[in-house]
Amino acid sequence: MLKIYNTLTGRKEEFEPLTAGTVKMYVCGVTVYDECHLGHARSALVFETIRRYLERSGLAVTFVKNFTDVDDKIIKRANELKIPWQDVTSRYIDAYYRDMGRLGIQPATVEPKATEHMAEIVALVEALIRKDVAYQVNGDVYFQVGRYVGYGRLSKRKLDDMQAGARVEVDARKRHPMDFALWKGAKPGEPSWESPWGKGRPGWHIECSAMAMKHLGETFDIHGGGADLIFPHHENEIAQSCGATGKEFARYWLHNGFVQINQEKMSKSLGNFFTIREIFEKWGYREAVTGETLRYFLLSTHYRSPLDFSDQALQEAKRALDGFYGLFQRLEEAAQDSSRGDAHVPALVEPLDGAIRQAMDDDFNTPAAIAVLQRLRTDTNKLADAGLSRQAGARLLEAFRLAGRLFGMFQLSTKDWEFQDLGIKLKTAVALSDDEIERLIADRNEARKRRDFARADEVRQTLAAQGITLEDRPDGTTRWKR
RNA sequence: GGCGCCGUACCCAAGUGGCUAAGGGAGCAGUCUGCAAAACUGCGAUGCGGCGGUUCGAACCCGCCCGGCGCCUCCA
């Protein structure tokens, strides 16, 4: 039984989809005016993981994640770069897919763009005017917050409380300072679309309401996004949508916590952000290794908690994965000794799915699920110590890969994993071929047989300088890692 | 000013009323090894920011305090 923490109610609730067997979920994507940073990566990864888990649970998921491709920041950026605004959005949509691809994040079922939903947006604004919860002033249209009694129910705040502290410049044309734009009249040179109120463009919030309703219906199951979207974005979405339809909008609201640097929120305005691109370029590992390391790092904390980013934290994630891939290598070598461990394999493999399910059913508790995998790692190493047959090794390996698939981990071949620590990795640009390495190892093992340990250690030193670690097995053969 | 979140060992991090407070990393000791590495074993919070309270029983509930953070303005 899946329980989900719902921001709307402030409680963990049993999840019951509107239609049995299906889930309709909408997640706020990015505004495409710049490179994505780690915070965007976290949000994308959290909701993809939720989607994967729901699918694994047998539910048919329709997952909608939008691009905001018309907005003040995009216009500003286009002016700075002196290029058409469409070039800004297409450039950063490409960058988004590049970065998400590196992280192994799969596209959503539908990835709508605001600019492709103008008809729906205009129709929604018209409906709100018709219901008298929105009003137009010159070429602008505003939502009248005072007309929606539920305003504040998501963010748990009252209109009066907010008025006191609001530092916003109050637009005199608004009837209430918190009224927000549904439609903005175009100034010369700005992107614009025809509407009953003249040329203009949508406000930020309305696009999500329009696209969610178009692709998922007026009421759907899950709406997600970063915690910074609770107010005003999601609050306004609810007001608009419920104001227009008179029905509930999303039933479960999920919000992920921030990525932080030294306990502070990572954000553009503080200037303390790391782009996904930077991290991939700075880390010397191949993309798949860095990507999996980032996934492990991001999933090792519960999605609602803050997560502090640092090189050390990333290296701990890397070491944890080294342990798994080292074990996978052992499993691939199984059948070298006895098969005394085989009898215990079912006791490890059979409860695995249930244990992970138990963790994930509790509000997608990925750290607890990872702990399950870590315990399995220790237990499996013990069996490998005792000796495993080829079939038993394969079965265990398959169990890891299947469980890991949920988190986008454990899918690389052991040859493609890179075991070196970052410091060593960066120092060893020269790469020996597998054949050269094997030859040196054969050479060393000859020396060992002669008990010429000086020569044997010399070879080890040579290889260590290339970032290659040797591990002698009990049977006299040698395993190597790089 | 309003609303909300967080504080668990050296570091990261689960647990939110009841067996010995998960798991990982680092460290130390041991087993194995020609030496290593890996793996395994053992050690490590009598205590969960502090002080009170509720309870047969609290890291978990309530109150106050200390420390940190977020939202209220674009923000994943």
Side-chain angles (χ1 to χ4, degrees):
Chain A
M1 179 187 68
L2 173 60
K3 286 191 165 180
I4 298 180
Y5 181 86
N6 188 351
T7 307
L8 199 56
T9 56
R11 288 194 312 264
K12 265 188 215 173
E13 297 174 339
E14 193 174 330
F15 177 66
E16 291 175 55
L18 207 53
T19 305
T22 69
V23 180
K24 295 189 185 303
M25 64 186 280
Y26 185 94
V27 171
C28 290
V30 292
T31 301
V32 278
Y33 73 105
D34 205 349
E35 300 268 332
C36 291
H37 64 229
L38 246 199
H40 301 109
R42 185 180 193 192
S43 185
L45 178 60
V46 160
F47 290 106
E48 123 149 317
T49 303
I50 288 171
R51 180 240 195 129
R52 287 188 196 216
Y53 183 64
L54 293 171
E55 286 179 341
R56 178 171 288 207
S57 303
L59 298 159
V61 180
T62 307
F63 176 33
V64 180
K65 180 165 64 177
N66 74 296
F67 285 110
T68 296
D69 63 344
V70 55
D71 147 284
D72 292 350
K73 292 190 292 292
I74 292 168
I75 295 168
K76 184 166 171 251
R77 195 65 201 261
N79 291 336
E80 285 167 5
L81 297 174
K82 298 185 168 51
I83 58 176
W85 63 272
Q86 293 94 332
D87 291 1
V88 173
T89 57
S90 68
R91 174 188 298 185
Y92 291 113
I93 286 172
D94 289 348
Y96 177 87
Y97 281 120
R98 176 199 66 211
D99 290 342
M100 295 303 147
R102 285 166 159 171
L103 282 161
I105 291 170
Q106 301 161 352
T109 320
V110 186
E111 303 195 328
K113 299 182 179 79
T115 54
E116 293 172 359
H117 292 75
M118 285 302 156
E120 290 83 359
I121 290 169
V122 168
L124 188 54
V125 175
E126 284 182 308
L128 288 165
I129 291 175
R130 230 173 13 248
K131 295 222 171 182
D132 203 26
V133 290
Y135 54 95
Q136 55 172 309
V137 181
N138 304 329
D140 296 342
V141 181
Y142 292 99
F143 184 90
Q144 188 166 2
V145 291
R147 286 296 180 90
Y148 179 63
V149 289
Y151 198 77
R153 57 198 260 252
L154 180 72
S155 55
K156 319 263 187 281
R157 54 190 87 193
K158 299 188 189 89
L159 275 174
D160 296 342
D161 294 341
M162 286 186 287
Q163 242 178 309
R167 286 173 288 163
V168 211
E169 276 182 50
V170 177
D171 187 332
R173 300 175 308 166
K174 290 189 194 175
R175 295 180 188 170
H176 185 285
M178 296 310 293
D179 288 353
F180 55 90
L182 298 171
W183 189 263
K184 297 178 174 182
K187 297 186 191 98
E190 287 183 349
S192 64
W193 287 260
E194 295 292 348
S195 82
W197 321 285
K199 288 194 162 214
R201 62 194 153 92
W204 174 35
H205 317 295
I206 196 73
E207 59 171 84
C208 285
S209 293
M211 291 188 280
M213 286 197 240
K214 172 172 183 188
H215 296 285
L216 299 174
E218 291 179 340
T219 303
F220 55 96
D221 298 298
I222 293 175
H223 192 129
D228 44 1
L229 297 183
I230 295 171
F231 191 91
H233 186 53
H234 288 165
E235 193 68 63
N236 291 353
E237 274 188 55
I238 291 174
Q240 293 162 350
S241 307
C242 299
T245 66
K247 297 176 188 163
E248 184 60 293
F249 184 47
R251 302 168 66 236
Y252 299 86
W253 287 84
L254 278 66
H255 295 94
N256 64 277
F258 299 128
V259 176
Q260 308 186 138
I261 300 286
N262 296 325
Q263 318 291 329
E264 279 189 324
K265 179 184 174 184
M266 178 185 285
S267 74
K268 292 271 165 75
S269 46
L270 286 169
N272 62 346
F273 61 92
F274 288 87
T275 65
I276 300 169
R277 172 187 211 153
E278 272 179 282
I279 293 167
F280 274 92
E281 286 171 1
K282 179 175 166 195
W283 267 51
Y285 298 105
R286 57 175 65 107
E287 283 190 356
V289 172
T290 303
E292 187 165 342
T293 302
L294 276 168
R295 292 184 78 104
Y296 189 100
F297 164 68
L298 292 168
L299 294 173
S300 63
T301 296
H302 185 84
Y303 77 90
R304 284 193 281 117
S305 300
L307 172 59
D308 224 76
F309 175 73
S310 66
D311 278 355
Q312 189 199 324
L314 220 48
Q315 281 179 37
E316 282 190 12
K318 171 67 169 48
R319 280 192 205 107
L321 286 167
D322 288 342
F324 282 105
Y325 277 97
L327 170 60
F328 301 162
Q329 208 174 17
R330 291 186 84 183
L331 292 175
E332 287 171 350
E333 297 163 357
Q336 306 236 342
D337 358 67
S338 71
S339 56
R340 277 176 297 139
D342 283 20
H344 300 98
V345 170
L348 292 193
V349 172
E350 282 160 14
L352 180 60
D353 189 60
I356 287 177
R357 185 160 297 282
Q358 191 179 356
M360 293 297 284
D361 271 350
D362 185 12
D363 196 27
F364 311 106
N365 193 334
T366 53
I370 287 174
V372 170
L373 294 169
Q374 288 285 8
R375 267 192 297 267
L376 179 65
R377 178 173 71 89
T378 300
D379 291 342
T380 303
N381 264 315
K382 285 185 213 175
L383 295 193
D385 280 355
L388 288 168
S389 68
R390 179 173 299 281
Q391 293 91 325
R395 184 171 179 202
L396 284 161
L397 189 55
E398 183 51 32
F400 275 103
R401 293 210 194 274
L402 181 64
R405 200 167 298 151
L406 178 59
F407 308 104
M409 304 191 306
F410 307 161
Q411 304 303 303
L412 296 178
S413 81
T414 52
K415 281 229 169 290
D416 288 333
W417 188 253
E418 296 175 284
F419 288 91
Q420 298 115 304
D421 269 352
L422 189 58
I424 296 164
K425 169 78 188 164
L426 292 176
K427 272 185 255 172
T428 55
V430 187
L432 289 175
S433 72
D434 288 10
D435 285 349
E436 288 168 318
I437 293 165
E438 303 281 4
R439 207 174 312 126
L440 281 165
I441 288 172
D443 193 30
R444 171 169 170 276
N445 282 336
E446 283 303 312
R448 287 171 70 210
K449 274 181 201 153
R450 295 195 305 272
R451 302 194 68 77
D452 180 359
F453 297 122
R455 172 62 192 150
D457 288 346
E458 192 185 314
V459 174
R460 194 212 297 282
Q461 287 306 313
T462 304
L463 289 169
Q466 304 289 320
I468 292 152
T469 309
L470 301 185
E471 298 173 6
D472 294 330
R473 301 190 190 91
D475 66 0
T477 60
T478 300
R479 169 195 305 133
W480 59 273
K481 293 176 176 172
R482 78 169 146 209

